[in-house]
Amino acid sequence: MNVHSARPSRARTLLTAVVGTLAMLAAFAVQEVTFGAGAAHAATRADIVTVAEGEVGNSEANGRCTKYGPCRTTAWCAMFAEWVWRNAGVSPVFTTDVATAVGTWGQQQGLWKARPSSGVGSPAPGDVVVWGAPGSGVGGHVGIVHSVHSDGTITTVEGNQNDAVVKRRINPVTQRAGTRNVLISGYVSPPNVTSANRPAESVNGDRYEDLLAVDANQVLWSYPGRSTGTFGSAVRIGPGWVDNYNRIAVGDSNGDGWADLYATATDGVLWHWRNDGDGTFGARTQVGTGWKTVDWFTLADVNGDDKADILAKAGDILNLYVGSGDGGFGSSRQIGTGWSQINRFAAGDADGDGDADIWGTKPDGSLIYWRGNGNGTFATPAQVGGNWQTIREFAVLDVNGDNNADIVGVKADDATLLRWTGDGDGTFAAPVQVGNGWRDFRLASF
């Protein structure tokens, strides 16, 4: 079957139309009951991506495409995209099977984002990507945006691509699809989705996460992230951050979009400083004890609820403490072993799906990546870099605000500050120098 997502024009009897309509309404009614009763929150972009990725490999050959619609007799890419949105809890959704009509629906709903003729446009995870101008007729194509990468490419999940659901990385400027071999015309945003990716380390509350570091005089400074992937002028937070505290971490504890501070004292007490919503911090509050046994910890939203959780390494064990949203945390839960071989780690959202991923280094210089599953567990680790023994320390944060985590690190030999721009899949572009003179600084988290 050709890839175009257009229902073929053919004569139908009145009886067929009535039966088809009733069947469709019955199916929709069942789905609405399911989500109305079971959904604990509004749809998120992360939900859309998760649902779409779970369908990869379904095809006409194995028959697992029939749940989207009559895929054996009708081009079904729009059916697939509609099914993904609906099963992720999106409402309202389009109901057309013509790909270019999805673009028209997006325009009517005020959700359309046109792609400029020579540019990528502004795709985001969970969007429907449309090949062919809205309303231009059959022969187009649609898919779901999975992730957006720093080099301008995007990863998509598409139904009816070579008669199957496939995940692929494409260039939105040049990629053609459909029986008319058309270019991407734009993207349709899902309606009424909640933010699945609040700033985790943005002290000043903007979309660009900030780097925190302690200087030789024990003063803690914040360096605001900028859209260029660089940092603005340092903002002084306060003194006494080495002798008093042996570990510092940054994260948004309550989902208000402003990063808070956490630190463990040398006596094992865990302290919390809440951001006042203006880049300054209130008085410290004790939120835990017994943290002397923790070798290393980092803050990240592991379960996608917009509240920071703690990942803490104690010897060979990695523990998770789920954030309660008020600055405190639940009891520890062991989620990994074999962590004695990881000498440092940090976490952030690699792909904008709303839940944290982890990067860690081994003594041999390997950079290891664990993709978060969104439920407090992580996928099998994969090596995504080498030669990291030359990097003295690093932090994970989204510097440029593209919803893909970046890494910032200090090079051991010359104390330059480097940034590795995240590609949205756990890997990174080549490092770029963004500072120098960092020999006497320690980056948070440390």
Side-chain angles (χ1 to χ4, degrees):
M1 181 183 291
N2 292 325
V3 179
H4 55 80
S5 248
R7 189 181 296 278
S9 177
R10 61 183 182 270
R12 295 177 178 168
T13 66
L14 178 60
L15 177 62
T16 300
V18 171
V19 171
T21 300
L22 291 175
M24 178 181 69
L25 291 174
F28 286 1
V30 171
Q31 291 168 346
E32 289 299 329
V33 169
T34 299
F35 287 102
H41 55 77
T44 67
R45 291 182 178 275
D47 295 332
I48 298 169
V49 170
T50 298
V51 171
E53 188 160 33
E55 301 302 301
V56 173
N58 289 355
S59 69
E60 296 179 27
N62 59 34
R64 290 200 294 267
C65 67
T66 55
K67 58 184 174 181
Y68 316 131
C71 62
R72 295 186 184 276
T73 58
T74 303
W76 49 278
C77 65
M79 295 180 193
F80 170 75
E82 176 196 348
W83 185 93
V84 169
W85 268 17
R86 189 180 298 279
N87 280 269
V90 176
S91 181
V93 298
F94 52 89
T95 56
T96 179
D97 295 339
V98 178
T100 62
V102 176
T104 302
W105 180 88
Q107 291 176 328
Q108 294 168 344
Q109 299 290 321
L111 302 169
W112 176 250
K113 300 181 292 185
R115 184 186 69 81
S117 59
S118 59
V120 174
S122 54
D127 285 353
V128 171
V129 53
V130 180
W131 280 263
S136 60
V138 299
H141 184 54
V142 295
I144 300 291
V145 177
H146 177 279
S147 48
V148 181
H149 309 295
S150 60
D151 61 359
T153 62
I154 62 175
T155 295
T156 59
V157 178
E158 303 163 36
N160 201 28
Q161 173 65 26
N162 294 328
D163 300 335
V165 178
V166 302
K167 179 180 178 182
R168 59 176 182 158
R169 189 162 175 166
I170 64 172
N171 183 341
V173 178
T174 60
Q175 186 71 47
R176 293 178 178 270
T179 55
R180 289 192 285 123
N181 198 33
V182 288
L183 292 168
I184 291 172
S185 60
Y187 315 91
V188 180
S189 298
N192 303 316
V193 296
T194 61
S195 171
N197 193 34
R198 291 184 182 273
E201 297 175 23
S202 180
V203 172
N204 59 10
D206 65 13
R207 63 184 292 184
Y208 313 109
E209 296 183 0
D210 311 318
L211 179 65
L212 272 68
V214 179
D215 68 15
N217 297 316
Q218 304 184 31
V219 176
L220 180 63
W221 299 86
S222 173
Y223 297 81
R226 301 191 295 196
S227 61
T228 56
T230 58
F231 296 97
S233 300
V235 177
R236 190 176 189 270
I237 295 177
W241 286 86
V242 173
D243 287 347
N244 295 333
Y245 306 104
N246 56 359
R247 294 283 181 266
I248 301 175
V250 189
D252 183 1
S253 66
N254 58 1
D256 64 357
W258 299 80
D260 309 306
L261 290 176
Y262 286 85
T264 53
T266 52
D267 61 0
V269 173
L270 177 66
W271 295 95
H272 170 231
W273 290 259
R274 181 173 178 176
N275 194 312
D276 285 333
D278 58 4
T280 64
F281 299 91
R284 71 178 186 175
T285 302
Q286 180 176 327
V287 292
T289 58
W291 285 72
K292 277 188 175 181
T293 59
V294 172
D295 305 316
W296 198 282
F297 79 96
T298 189
L299 283 169
D301 180 12
V302 172
N303 57 6
D305 65 355
D306 288 336
K307 302 174 183 66
D309 311 305
I310 288 182
L311 292 164
K313 173 180 176 290
D316 200 50
I317 303 300
L318 183 68
N319 290 316
L320 169 65
Y321 301 77
V322 175
S324 57
D326 58 1
F329 299 88
S331 302
S332 66
R333 174 161 61 92
Q334 181 178 321
I335 61 171
T337 59
W339 281 76
S340 58
Q341 62 182 310
I342 304 299
N343 53 2
R344 53 193 170 168
F345 67 93
D349 189 353
D351 48 10
D353 65 356
D355 56 75
D357 312 294
I358 304 175
W359 292 265
T361 58
K362 293 183 176 181
D364 65 1
S366 301
L367 180 67
I368 310 299
Y369 169 63
W370 293 260
R371 186 180 188 275
N373 294 324
N375 59 0
T377 65
F378 293 85
T380 303
Q383 183 173 339
V384 293
N387 203 36
W388 279 73
Q389 72 273 20
T390 63
I391 305 303
R392 192 186 74 208
E393 55 187 344
F394 70 90
V396 172
L397 61 158
D398 180 11
V399 183
N400 59 5
D402 66 353
N403 287 341
N404 298 332
D406 312 306
I407 289 184
V408 177
V410 178
K411 197 174 178 183
D413 59 359
D414 60 8
T416 54
L417 186 68
L418 304 178
R419 185 201 72 241
W420 290 259
T421 300
D423 267 341
D425 58 2
T427 64
F428 299 90
V432 176
Q433 182 176 332
V434 292
N436 54 59
W438 285 74
R439 190 170 306 281
D440 296 324
F441 285 83
R442 298 183 68 184
L443 307 183
S445 305
F446 68 74

